[in-house]
Amino acid sequence: MKKCLYCQQRNAEQRDTCERCAMPLPASEAVTQARRLSRFQWFCLGLTLFCIAMFFWLPRSFY
Ligand SMILES: [Zn+2]
């Protein structure tokens, strides 16, 4: 089931546009979840690389 973002109408999974208001429907939930997970993995990778860069860039002692 795909829910329309504009009128909350529930549409069949195969539909690309809303049954009631003909607005384009968002991608199915599974695709959205996969995209979100992929973005999160890239964020973690970027954060790790940033930490490694900081580890070598910052001085080892503060005395
Ligand atoms: Zn709609």
Side-chain angles (χ1 to χ4, degrees):
M1 275 301 197
K2 286 180 179 177
K3 204 176 185 185
C4 177
L5 295 173
Y6 301 93
C7 67
Q8 308 301 310
Q9 168 77 30
R10 292 185 158 273
N11 293 278
E13 199 63 49
Q14 301 85 3
R15 289 189 69 97
D16 292 328
T17 55
C18 179
E19 205 174 356
R20 198 196 285 170
C21 66
M23 288 301 278
L25 292 167
S28 72
E29 217 141 283
V31 174
T32 313
Q33 285 283 7
R35 210 174 288 165
R36 209 174 284 167
L37 185 69
S38 154
R39 205 186 301 163
F40 177 71
Q41 282 168 340
W42 278 110
F43 171 75
C44 287
L45 185 69
L47 195 66
T48 308
L49 289 173
F50 175 76
C51 287
I52 292 167
M54 284 297 116
F55 180 76
F56 288 108
W57 184 64
L58 290 171
R60 294 291 162 91
S61 83
F62 293 96
Y63 295 110

